[in-house]
Amino acid sequence: KQEVTQIPAALSVPEGENLVLNCSFTDSAIYNLQWFRQDPGKGLTSLLLIQSSQREQTSGRLNASLDKSSGRSTLYIAASQPGDSATYLCAVDGNKLVFGAGTILRVKS
Amino acid sequence: DAGVIQSPRHEVTEMGQEVTLRCKPISGHDYLFWYRQTMMRGLELLIYFNNNVPIDDSGMPEDRFSAKMPNASFSTLKIQPSEPRDSAVYFCASSPIGDRYNEQFFGPGTRLTVL
């Protein structure tokens, strides 16, 4: 059974700082990995999707990497802004999408 | 496109009542997913459809839960009878044609409270 763990559970940083969110998964037989953002009381917004054959994806200030063999992914956020404050969820897709518990990020101005 | 549409956005009901949640996927998407989010269990896949056919309902918690997709633009998730432990946010998501492993697009969710 696939298990997804996200570390840290919560993170508070000053504006402008670069930061890394971590995601690990137990079964490397996946088709893709997605990073989502969830704002309080809202739905999920897809940030990046990495296919299993890829090692990383970039979108603006976001960069996500995938190491299937070690069961790890990282989401790198450059020059963080208060508007980045949200919960970030990692989800791996094997035969179904399995989510981590998320990292609650607060960027202080 | 308006994105995935869910209704109602909030539902408060009493234990034992029937609850029906509705979803309109993005036009042209042929995969539709229902998820449930709680503090205790996080986000869980309940069921998904491909071309209106249920493919995997192993996440449906009990027989009280049922889902249908009568056509490509509409799906329902029904709980009958509802119980307080069903209180959660229910999300619908859809995915584009052709590849099960494409990006999923989520609706805003329905917050269900069962008293």
Short mmCIF file of all heavy atoms in Angstrom, two decimals, chain A residues 20-86:
data_model
loop_
_atom_site.label_atom_id
_atom_site.label_comp_id
_atom_site.label_asym_id
_atom_site.label_seq_id
_atom_site.Cartn_x
_atom_site.Cartn_y
_atom_site.Cartn_z
N VAL A 20 12.50 24.63 0.65
CA VAL A 20 12.34 23.30 0.07
C VAL A 20 11.31 22.52 0.88
O VAL A 20 11.41 22.43 2.10
CB VAL A 20 13.67 22.53 0.04
CG1 VAL A 20 13.45 21.10 -0.45
CG2 VAL A 20 14.68 23.23 -0.84
N LEU A 21 10.35 21.96 0.19
CA LEU A 21 9.37 21.06 0.80
C LEU A 21 9.68 19.64 0.32
O LEU A 21 9.99 19.44 -0.85
CB LEU A 21 7.95 21.45 0.39
CG LEU A 21 7.56 22.92 0.61
CD1 LEU A 21 6.11 23.14 0.20
CD2 LEU A 21 7.80 23.34 2.04
N ASN A 22 9.56 18.70 1.23
CA ASN A 22 9.93 17.33 0.93
C ASN A 22 8.74 16.38 0.91
O ASN A 22 7.79 16.53 1.70
CB ASN A 22 10.93 16.83 1.97
CG ASN A 22 12.22 17.61 1.96
OD1 ASN A 22 13.00 17.52 1.02
ND2 ASN A 22 12.43 18.42 2.98
N CYS A 23 8.82 15.42 0.02
CA CYS A 23 7.79 14.40 -0.11
C CYS A 23 8.48 13.06 -0.32
O CYS A 23 9.41 12.96 -1.13
CB CYS A 23 6.90 14.72 -1.31
SG CYS A 23 5.70 13.45 -1.77
N SER A 24 8.07 12.04 0.42
CA SER A 24 8.61 10.71 0.20
C SER A 24 7.47 9.72 0.04
O SER A 24 6.38 9.91 0.60
CB SER A 24 9.53 10.29 1.35
OG SER A 24 8.80 10.25 2.57
N PHE A 25 7.72 8.67 -0.72
CA PHE A 25 6.69 7.66 -0.98
C PHE A 25 7.32 6.27 -0.92
O PHE A 25 8.52 6.11 -1.17
CB PHE A 25 5.97 7.90 -2.31
CG PHE A 25 6.88 8.17 -3.48
CD1 PHE A 25 7.27 7.14 -4.33
CD2 PHE A 25 7.34 9.45 -3.73
CE1 PHE A 25 8.09 7.39 -5.42
CE2 PHE A 25 8.17 9.71 -4.81
CZ PHE A 25 8.55 8.68 -5.66
N THR A 26 6.51 5.28 -0.57
CA THR A 26 7.06 3.96 -0.27
C THR A 26 7.11 3.03 -1.48
O THR A 26 7.94 2.13 -1.52
CB THR A 26 6.22 3.28 0.83
OG1 THR A 26 4.84 3.24 0.42
CG2 THR A 26 6.35 4.03 2.14
N ASP A 27 6.25 3.23 -2.46
CA ASP A 27 6.22 2.36 -3.63
C ASP A 27 6.66 3.16 -4.85
O ASP A 27 6.00 4.12 -5.25
CB ASP A 27 4.79 1.83 -3.84
CG ASP A 27 4.70 0.80 -4.96
OD1 ASP A 27 5.68 0.64 -5.72
OD2 ASP A 27 3.65 0.15 -5.06
N SER A 28 7.78 2.75 -5.43
CA SER A 28 8.34 3.52 -6.55
C SER A 28 7.65 3.24 -7.89
O SER A 28 7.96 3.88 -8.89
CB SER A 28 9.84 3.23 -6.68
OG SER A 28 10.04 1.86 -6.96
N ALA A 29 6.72 2.31 -7.90
CA ALA A 29 5.98 2.01 -9.14
C ALA A 29 4.88 3.05 -9.35
O ALA A 29 3.70 2.78 -9.09
CB ALA A 29 5.39 0.61 -9.06
N ILE A 30 5.29 4.22 -9.79
CA ILE A 30 4.33 5.30 -9.99
C ILE A 30 4.37 5.77 -11.43
O ILE A 30 5.36 5.56 -12.14
CB ILE A 30 4.60 6.50 -9.04
CG1 ILE A 30 5.95 7.16 -9.38
CG2 ILE A 30 4.56 6.05 -7.59
CD1 ILE A 30 6.18 8.46 -8.65
N TYR A 31 3.29 6.40 -11.86
CA TYR A 31 3.22 6.94 -13.21
C TYR A 31 3.57 8.42 -13.24
O TYR A 31 4.14 8.93 -14.19
CB TYR A 31 1.82 6.73 -13.79
CG TYR A 31 1.51 5.28 -14.01
CD1 TYR A 31 0.80 4.54 -13.07
CD2 TYR A 31 1.94 4.63 -15.16
CE1 TYR A 31 0.54 3.20 -13.27
CE2 TYR A 31 1.67 3.29 -15.36
CZ TYR A 31 0.97 2.58 -14.41
OH TYR A 31 0.72 1.26 -14.60
N ASN A 32 3.18 9.12 -12.18
CA ASN A 32 3.56 10.52 -12.08
C ASN A 32 3.43 10.99 -10.64
O ASN A 32 2.94 10.25 -9.76
CB ASN A 32 2.72 11.42 -13.01
CG ASN A 32 1.25 11.46 -12.65
OD1 ASN A 32 0.89 11.67 -11.50
ND2 ASN A 32 0.39 11.26 -13.64
N LEU A 33 3.90 12.19 -10.40
CA LEU A 33 3.80 12.82 -9.09
C LEU A 33 3.34 14.25 -9.31
O LEU A 33 3.84 14.93 -10.21
CB LEU A 33 5.14 12.78 -8.36
CG LEU A 33 5.18 13.35 -6.93
CD1 LEU A 33 6.15 12.56 -6.07
CD2 LEU A 33 5.53 14.82 -6.93
N GLN A 34 2.38 14.68 -8.52
CA GLN A 34 1.87 16.04 -8.65
C GLN A 34 2.04 16.81 -7.37
O GLN A 34 1.86 16.24 -6.28
CB GLN A 34 0.36 16.02 -8.97
CG GLN A 34 0.03 15.79 -10.43
CD GLN A 34 -1.45 15.99 -10.74
OE1 GLN A 34 -2.21 15.06 -10.95
NE2 GLN A 34 -1.86 17.25 -10.77
N TRP A 35 2.35 18.07 -7.49
CA TRP A 35 2.33 19.00 -6.37
C TRP A 35 1.12 19.92 -6.54
O TRP A 35 0.89 20.46 -7.63
CB TRP A 35 3.61 19.83 -6.31
CG TRP A 35 4.79 19.08 -5.76
CD1 TRP A 35 5.74 18.40 -6.45
CD2 TRP A 35 5.14 18.97 -4.37
NE1 TRP A 35 6.66 17.86 -5.58
CE2 TRP A 35 6.32 18.20 -4.30
CE3 TRP A 35 4.58 19.45 -3.18
CZ2 TRP A 35 6.95 17.89 -3.10
CZ3 TRP A 35 5.20 19.14 -1.99
CH2 TRP A 35 6.38 18.38 -1.94
N PHE A 36 0.38 20.07 -5.43
CA PHE A 36 -0.81 20.91 -5.42
C PHE A 36 -0.65 21.99 -4.35
O PHE A 36 0.06 21.81 -3.37
CB PHE A 36 -2.07 20.11 -5.07
CG PHE A 36 -2.49 19.10 -6.10
CD1 PHE A 36 -1.97 17.82 -6.08
CD2 PHE A 36 -3.42 19.43 -7.06
CE1 PHE A 36 -2.38 16.87 -7.01
CE2 PHE A 36 -3.84 18.48 -8.00
CZ PHE A 36 -3.30 17.21 -7.97
N ARG A 37 -1.40 23.05 -4.55
CA ARG A 37 -1.52 24.09 -3.53
C ARG A 37 -2.99 24.14 -3.11
O ARG A 37 -3.89 24.05 -3.96
CB ARG A 37 -1.10 25.42 -4.15
CG ARG A 37 -1.45 26.62 -3.29
CD ARG A 37 -1.10 27.92 -3.97
NE ARG A 37 -1.60 29.02 -3.17
CZ ARG A 37 -0.93 30.14 -2.99
NH1 ARG A 37 0.25 30.32 -3.57
NH2 ARG A 37 -1.44 31.10 -2.24
N GLN A 38 -3.22 24.27 -1.80
CA GLN A 38 -4.58 24.42 -1.30
C GLN A 38 -4.64 25.62 -0.36
O GLN A 38 -3.94 25.66 0.65
CB GLN A 38 -5.06 23.16 -0.57
CG GLN A 38 -6.52 23.23 -0.15
CD GLN A 38 -7.05 21.94 0.44
OE1 GLN A 38 -6.30 21.14 1.00
NE2 GLN A 38 -8.35 21.71 0.30
N ASP A 39 -5.47 26.60 -0.72
CA ASP A 39 -5.70 27.74 0.15
C ASP A 39 -6.85 27.42 1.10
O ASP A 39 -7.73 26.62 0.78
CB ASP A 39 -6.01 28.98 -0.70
CG ASP A 39 -4.81 29.42 -1.51
OD1 ASP A 39 -3.91 30.02 -0.90
OD2 ASP A 39 -4.73 29.12 -2.72
N PRO A 40 -6.88 28.04 2.27
CA PRO A 40 -7.91 27.73 3.27
C PRO A 40 -9.31 27.81 2.69
O PRO A 40 -9.69 28.81 2.08
CB PRO A 40 -7.66 28.79 4.35
CG PRO A 40 -6.22 29.13 4.22
CD PRO A 40 -5.93 29.07 2.75
N GLY A 41 -10.08 26.75 2.90
CA GLY A 41 -11.46 26.74 2.44
C GLY A 41 -11.63 26.62 0.94
O GLY A 41 -12.75 26.78 0.44
N LYS A 42 -10.55 26.33 0.24
CA LYS A 42 -10.63 26.27 -1.22
C LYS A 42 -10.25 24.87 -1.72
O LYS A 42 -9.83 24.00 -0.96
CB LYS A 42 -9.66 27.30 -1.82
CG LYS A 42 -9.93 28.74 -1.41
CD LYS A 42 -11.17 29.28 -2.07
CE LYS A 42 -11.45 30.72 -1.68
NZ LYS A 42 -10.38 31.63 -2.10
N GLY A 43 -10.39 24.71 -3.04
CA GLY A 43 -10.00 23.45 -3.65
C GLY A 43 -8.51 23.41 -3.90
O GLY A 43 -7.76 24.26 -3.43
N LEU A 44 -8.09 22.39 -4.64
CA LEU A 44 -6.67 22.20 -4.92
C LEU A 44 -6.33 22.78 -6.28
O LEU A 44 -7.09 22.63 -7.24
CB LEU A 44 -6.34 20.71 -4.93
CG LEU A 44 -6.10 20.03 -3.60
CD1 LEU A 44 -7.37 19.92 -2.80
CD2 LEU A 44 -5.49 18.65 -3.81
N THR A 45 -5.17 23.41 -6.35
CA THR A 45 -4.67 23.92 -7.62
C THR A 45 -3.41 23.16 -7.96
O THR A 45 -2.47 23.11 -7.16
CB THR A 45 -4.34 25.42 -7.51
OG1 THR A 45 -5.53 26.13 -7.14
CG2 THR A 45 -3.82 25.95 -8.84
N SER A 46 -3.38 22.56 -9.14
CA SER A 46 -2.20 21.82 -9.56
C SER A 46 -1.07 22.79 -9.87
O SER A 46 -1.25 23.76 -10.59
CB SER A 46 -2.52 20.98 -10.79
OG SER A 46 -1.39 20.26 -11.21
N LEU A 47 0.09 22.51 -9.30
CA LEU A 47 1.26 23.37 -9.53
C LEU A 47 2.19 22.76 -10.58
O LEU A 47 2.58 23.42 -11.53
CB LEU A 47 2.03 23.57 -8.22
CG LEU A 47 1.28 24.28 -7.10
CD1 LEU A 47 2.10 24.24 -5.82
CD2 LEU A 47 0.95 25.70 -7.48
N LEU A 48 2.55 21.53 -10.36
CA LEU A 48 3.49 20.85 -11.25
C LEU A 48 3.16 19.37 -11.29
O LEU A 48 2.78 18.79 -10.27
CB LEU A 48 4.94 21.02 -10.76
CG LEU A 48 5.54 22.43 -10.85
CD1 LEU A 48 6.80 22.53 -10.00
CD2 LEU A 48 5.85 22.76 -12.31
N LEU A 49 3.32 18.78 -12.46
CA LEU A 49 3.18 17.34 -12.62
C LEU A 49 4.47 16.81 -13.23
O LEU A 49 4.93 17.33 -14.25
CB LEU A 49 1.99 17.00 -13.52
CG LEU A 49 1.71 15.51 -13.75
CD1 LEU A 49 0.22 15.26 -13.91
CD2 LEU A 49 2.45 14.98 -14.98
N ILE A 50 5.05 15.80 -12.60
CA ILE A 50 6.27 15.18 -13.11
C ILE A 50 5.93 13.76 -13.52
O ILE A 50 5.52 12.95 -12.68
CB ILE A 50 7.39 15.15 -12.06
CG1 ILE A 50 7.57 16.51 -11.39
CG2 ILE A 50 8.70 14.69 -12.69
CD1 ILE A 50 8.61 16.49 -10.28
N GLN A 51 6.09 13.44 -14.79
CA GLN A 51 5.89 12.07 -15.25
C GLN A 51 7.04 11.20 -14.70
O GLN A 51 8.12 11.71 -14.41
CB GLN A 51 5.86 12.00 -16.77
CG GLN A 51 4.75 12.83 -17.41
CD GLN A 51 3.37 12.22 -17.24
OE1 GLN A 51 3.21 11.15 -16.64
NE2 GLN A 51 2.36 12.90 -17.75
N SER A 52 6.79 9.91 -14.61
CA SER A 52 7.78 9.02 -13.99
C SER A 52 9.10 9.00 -14.75
O SER A 52 10.15 8.70 -14.18
CB SER A 52 7.21 7.61 -13.89
OG SER A 52 6.96 7.09 -15.18
N SER A 53 9.05 9.32 -16.04
CA SER A 53 10.27 9.32 -16.85
C SER A 53 11.06 10.61 -16.74
O SER A 53 12.17 10.73 -17.25
CB SER A 53 9.92 9.08 -18.32
OG SER A 53 9.02 10.08 -18.76
N GLN A 54 10.48 11.60 -16.06
CA GLN A 54 11.14 12.90 -15.92
C GLN A 54 11.82 13.01 -14.56
O GLN A 54 11.49 12.28 -13.62
CB GLN A 54 10.11 14.03 -16.07
CG GLN A 54 9.42 14.03 -17.42
CD GLN A 54 8.28 15.03 -17.48
OE1 GLN A 54 7.55 15.22 -16.50
NE2 GLN A 54 8.11 15.66 -18.63
N ARG A 55 12.73 13.95 -14.46
CA ARG A 55 13.42 14.16 -13.19
C ARG A 55 13.04 15.48 -12.54
O ARG A 55 13.20 15.64 -11.32
CB ARG A 55 14.91 14.07 -13.38
CG ARG A 55 15.40 12.69 -13.78
CD ARG A 55 16.90 12.56 -13.62
NE ARG A 55 17.35 12.72 -12.24
CZ ARG A 55 17.38 11.75 -11.36
NH1 ARG A 55 16.97 10.54 -11.68
NH2 ARG A 55 17.84 11.96 -10.14
N GLU A 56 12.56 16.42 -13.35
CA GLU A 56 12.15 17.68 -12.74
C GLU A 56 11.23 18.45 -13.68
O GLU A 56 11.18 18.19 -14.89
CB GLU A 56 13.35 18.53 -12.35
CG GLU A 56 14.18 19.05 -13.51
CD GLU A 56 15.31 19.96 -13.02
OE1 GLU A 56 15.19 20.53 -11.90
OE2 GLU A 56 16.29 20.11 -13.73
N GLN A 57 10.51 19.40 -13.07
CA GLN A 57 9.65 20.31 -13.81
C GLN A 57 9.77 21.68 -13.15
O GLN A 57 9.93 21.79 -11.94
CB GLN A 57 8.18 19.86 -13.76
CG GLN A 57 7.83 18.74 -14.69
CD GLN A 57 7.73 19.18 -16.13
OE1 GLN A 57 7.54 20.37 -16.43
NE2 GLN A 57 7.85 18.24 -17.04
N THR A 58 9.68 22.70 -13.98
CA THR A 58 9.80 24.07 -13.48
C THR A 58 8.63 24.90 -13.97
O THR A 58 8.18 24.76 -15.12
CB THR A 58 11.12 24.70 -13.96
OG1 THR A 58 12.21 23.94 -13.42
CG2 THR A 58 11.24 26.14 -13.50
N SER A 59 8.15 25.78 -13.08
CA SER A 59 7.13 26.75 -13.45
C SER A 59 7.36 28.00 -12.64
O SER A 59 7.14 28.03 -11.43
CB SER A 59 5.74 26.19 -13.17
OG SER A 59 4.74 27.17 -13.44
N GLY A 60 7.87 29.03 -13.30
CA GLY A 60 8.14 30.28 -12.60
C GLY A 60 9.13 30.10 -11.48
O GLY A 60 10.25 29.62 -11.69
N ARG A 61 8.71 30.46 -10.26
CA ARG A 61 9.61 30.34 -9.11
C ARG A 61 9.60 28.94 -8.49
O ARG A 61 10.25 28.70 -7.47
CB ARG A 61 9.21 31.37 -8.04
CG ARG A 61 9.40 32.82 -8.48
CD ARG A 61 9.03 33.80 -7.36
NE ARG A 61 7.61 33.78 -7.06
CZ ARG A 61 7.09 33.26 -5.96
NH1 ARG A 61 7.86 32.71 -5.04
NH2 ARG A 61 5.78 33.30 -5.76
N LEU A 62 8.86 28.03 -9.07
CA LEU A 62 8.73 26.68 -8.54
C LEU A 62 9.54 25.69 -9.36
O LEU A 62 9.55 25.75 -10.58
CB LEU A 62 7.26 26.24 -8.54
CG LEU A 62 6.25 27.13 -7.84
CD1 LEU A 62 4.85 26.55 -7.97
CD2 LEU A 62 6.62 27.34 -6.40
N ASN A 63 10.19 24.79 -8.64
CA ASN A 63 10.90 23.69 -9.30
C ASN A 63 10.66 22.44 -8.49
O ASN A 63 10.85 22.41 -7.27
CB ASN A 63 12.40 23.99 -9.38
CG ASN A 63 13.19 22.81 -9.94
OD1 ASN A 63 13.55 21.89 -9.20
ND2 ASN A 63 13.43 22.83 -11.23
N ALA A 64 10.19 21.40 -9.17
CA ALA A 64 9.96 20.13 -8.49
C ALA A 64 10.87 19.07 -9.10
O ALA A 64 11.04 19.00 -10.31
CB ALA A 64 8.50 19.71 -8.62
N SER A 65 11.43 18.25 -8.24
CA SER A 65 12.29 17.16 -8.68
C SER A 65 11.69 15.83 -8.26
O SER A 65 10.90 15.76 -7.32
CB SER A 65 13.69 17.31 -8.09
OG SER A 65 13.64 17.10 -6.68
N LEU A 66 12.08 14.79 -8.98
CA LEU A 66 11.59 13.44 -8.67
C LEU A 66 12.73 12.45 -8.76
O LEU A 66 13.44 12.41 -9.77
CB LEU A 66 10.49 13.04 -9.65
CG LEU A 66 9.98 11.60 -9.54
CD1 LEU A 66 9.33 11.33 -8.19
CD2 LEU A 66 9.01 11.28 -10.69
N ASP A 67 12.91 11.68 -7.71
CA ASP A 67 13.85 10.57 -7.71
C ASP A 67 13.06 9.32 -7.38
O ASP A 67 12.84 9.01 -6.20
CB ASP A 67 14.97 10.81 -6.69
CG ASP A 67 16.04 9.73 -6.74
OD1 ASP A 67 15.77 8.63 -7.26
OD2 ASP A 67 17.14 9.96 -6.24
N LYS A 68 12.63 8.61 -8.42
CA LYS A 68 11.79 7.43 -8.20
C LYS A 68 12.49 6.35 -7.41
O LYS A 68 11.89 5.71 -6.54
CB LYS A 68 11.35 6.86 -9.56
CG LYS A 68 9.99 7.29 -10.01
CD LYS A 68 9.59 6.63 -11.30
CE LYS A 68 9.68 5.12 -11.25
NZ LYS A 68 9.15 4.48 -12.47
N SER A 69 13.77 6.15 -7.70
CA SER A 69 14.48 5.04 -7.07
C SER A 69 14.56 5.19 -5.56
O SER A 69 14.50 4.20 -4.82
CB SER A 69 15.88 4.89 -7.67
OG SER A 69 16.61 6.08 -7.45
N SER A 70 14.69 6.42 -5.11
CA SER A 70 14.76 6.64 -3.66
C SER A 70 13.40 7.01 -3.08
O SER A 70 13.27 7.18 -1.86
CB SER A 70 15.77 7.74 -3.34
OG SER A 70 15.32 8.99 -3.84
N GLY A 71 12.39 7.15 -3.92
CA GLY A 71 11.05 7.47 -3.43
C GLY A 71 10.94 8.88 -2.85
O GLY A 71 10.33 9.06 -1.80
N ARG A 72 11.56 9.85 -3.55
CA ARG A 72 11.55 11.20 -3.02
C ARG A 72 11.25 12.24 -4.08
O ARG A 72 11.60 12.08 -5.26
CB ARG A 72 12.90 11.54 -2.39
CG ARG A 72 13.22 10.71 -1.17
CD ARG A 72 14.58 11.09 -0.61
NE ARG A 72 14.91 10.25 0.53
CZ ARG A 72 16.05 10.33 1.21
NH1 ARG A 72 16.96 11.21 0.85
NH2 ARG A 72 16.27 9.53 2.22
N SER A 73 10.62 13.32 -3.63
CA SER A 73 10.41 14.49 -4.46
C SER A 73 10.60 15.73 -3.60
O SER A 73 10.32 15.70 -2.39
CB SER A 73 9.01 14.48 -5.08
OG SER A 73 8.78 15.68 -5.81
N THR A 74 11.08 16.78 -4.21
CA THR A 74 11.19 18.05 -3.51
C THR A 74 10.53 19.14 -4.33
O THR A 74 10.54 19.10 -5.57
CB THR A 74 12.65 18.44 -3.25
OG1 THR A 74 13.32 18.59 -4.50
CG2 THR A 74 13.36 17.42 -2.40
N LEU A 75 9.93 20.09 -3.63
CA LEU A 75 9.39 21.28 -4.26
C LEU A 75 10.21 22.46 -3.74
O LEU A 75 10.24 22.72 -2.54
CB LEU A 75 7.91 21.48 -3.92
CG LEU A 75 7.27 22.75 -4.51
CD1 LEU A 75 7.21 22.66 -6.03
CD2 LEU A 75 5.87 22.96 -3.95
N TYR A 76 10.87 23.13 -4.67
CA TYR A 76 11.70 24.27 -4.34
C TYR A 76 10.95 25.54 -4.71
O TYR A 76 10.46 25.66 -5.83
CB TYR A 76 13.02 24.17 -5.11
CG TYR A 76 13.95 25.34 -4.95
CD1 TYR A 76 14.79 25.44 -3.85
CD2 TYR A 76 14.01 26.33 -5.92
CE1 TYR A 76 15.67 26.51 -3.72
CE2 TYR A 76 14.88 27.40 -5.80
CZ TYR A 76 15.71 27.48 -4.70
OH TYR A 76 16.57 28.54 -4.57
N ILE A 77 10.83 26.45 -3.75
CA ILE A 77 10.19 27.74 -4.00
C ILE A 77 11.24 28.83 -3.83
O ILE A 77 11.82 28.98 -2.74
CB ILE A 77 9.01 28.00 -3.05
CG1 ILE A 77 7.98 26.87 -3.17
CG2 ILE A 77 8.36 29.34 -3.35
CD1 ILE A 77 6.80 27.00 -2.20
N ALA A 78 11.48 29.56 -4.87
CA ALA A 78 12.49 30.61 -4.83
C ALA A 78 11.85 31.94 -4.46
O ALA A 78 10.71 32.23 -4.82
CB ALA A 78 13.17 30.74 -6.19
N ALA A 79 12.61 32.73 -3.71
CA ALA A 79 12.19 34.10 -3.36
C ALA A 79 10.74 34.13 -2.89
O ALA A 79 9.88 34.76 -3.51
CB ALA A 79 12.39 35.02 -4.56
N SER A 80 10.48 33.44 -1.80
CA SER A 80 9.11 33.28 -1.32
C SER A 80 8.43 34.63 -1.06
O SER A 80 9.07 35.63 -0.69
CB SER A 80 9.09 32.42 -0.06
OG SER A 80 9.88 33.00 0.95
N GLN A 81 7.11 34.61 -1.25
CA GLN A 81 6.29 35.81 -1.06
C GLN A 81 5.12 35.49 -0.13
O GLN A 81 4.70 34.33 -0.05
CB GLN A 81 5.73 36.27 -2.42
CG GLN A 81 6.79 36.55 -3.45
CD GLN A 81 6.20 36.77 -4.84
OE1 GLN A 81 4.99 36.69 -5.04
NE2 GLN A 81 7.07 37.09 -5.79
N PRO A 82 4.55 36.49 0.54
CA PRO A 82 3.39 36.22 1.40
C PRO A 82 2.26 35.51 0.67
O PRO A 82 1.54 34.69 1.27
CB PRO A 82 2.98 37.62 1.87
CG PRO A 82 4.26 38.39 1.86
CD PRO A 82 5.02 37.88 0.66
N GLY A 83 2.09 35.77 -0.60
CA GLY A 83 1.06 35.11 -1.39
C GLY A 83 1.30 33.62 -1.60
O GLY A 83 0.39 32.90 -2.04
N ASP A 84 2.48 33.16 -1.26
CA ASP A 84 2.77 31.72 -1.35
C ASP A 84 2.22 30.96 -0.15
O ASP A 84 2.23 29.74 -0.13
CB ASP A 84 4.28 31.47 -1.43
CG ASP A 84 4.90 32.02 -2.71
OD1 ASP A 84 4.21 32.09 -3.74
OD2 ASP A 84 6.10 32.40 -2.67
N SER A 85 1.77 31.67 0.85
CA SER A 85 1.24 31.02 2.06
C SER A 85 0.03 30.17 1.70
O SER A 85 -0.94 30.66 1.12
CB SER A 85 0.85 32.08 3.10
OG SER A 85 1.97 32.84 3.49
N ALA A 86 0.11 28.90 2.02
CA ALA A 86 -0.92 27.93 1.67
C ALA A 86 -0.46 26.56 2.19
O ALA A 86 0.61 26.44 2.76
CB ALA A 86 -1.13 27.86 0.16
#
